[in-house]
Amino acid sequence: MKAVLFQVLLVLLMVSCAKDNVGIDEWGHITGKIVDSETGESVSGVNISTTPPTVAIITGDSGTFRINQVPLGSYTVQARKPGFKNNSVSVSITAWNAAQADILLEPEEEEPPAEENVLRATR
């Protein structure tokens, strides 16, 4: 009986000393700046989203953005704004770090009007 009681106490002691598995959630952040590829100037009002999805945000006046509390893993960061070609970059999020996602946006070329849409006047 003493041997069984000793074994039970030993098991209870080992279980109570085991590492606590209730962990702290680990996150990272994504920061970046959107720049016009032709002028080198920052671009404001750009729609920023990620795949897999986190949040969608709009860049500020300085063309910068920050997405907080992004779960660990790999992401594609997309930048979209009318008048520019869409572009994206890939980042990896590690615990408590900020991944940099600077993106160049190329302006879309304006297409000249189609010949049939040009109004002509004759005298």
Side-chain angles (χ1 to χ4, degrees):
M1 178 72 177
K2 285 185 182 183
V4 172
L5 184 58
F6 177 76
Q7 288 177 347
V8 170
L9 288 174
L10 185 60
V11 169
L12 287 174
L13 180 62
M14 289 179 5
V15 170
S16 67
C17 292
K19 182 180 177 183
D20 189 2
N21 288 332
V22 179
I24 299 173
D25 289 335
E26 293 182 322
W27 305 89
H29 309 285
I30 301 173
T31 61
K33 184 171 186 175
I34 309 302
V35 175
D36 184 311
S37 66
E38 291 183 359
T39 66
E41 296 180 11
S42 59
V43 182
S44 63
V46 178
N47 182 347
I48 304 295
S49 60
T50 64
T51 303
T54 55
V55 297
I57 59 172
I58 304 292
T59 59
D61 292 338
S62 63
T64 60
F65 66 92
R66 180 178 173 101
I67 302 173
N68 293 316
Q69 294 186 333
V70 179
L72 306 184
S74 296
Y75 293 84
T76 300
V77 181
Q78 298 98 15
R80 296 180 181 90
K81 181 173 181 172
F84 291 89
K85 295 179 182 178
N86 297 342
N87 199 3
S88 63
V89 297
S90 296
V91 296
S92 292
I93 305 300
T94 58
W96 314 114
N97 291 313
Q100 194 67 28
D102 296 331
I103 301 174
L104 293 174
L105 286 186
E106 183 180 341
E108 289 182 335
E109 293 183 22
E110 292 184 28
E111 294 183 27
E115 188 64 36
E116 64 270 2
N117 292 334
V118 175
L119 180 62
R120 298 190 188 272
T122 57
R123 285 187 177 194

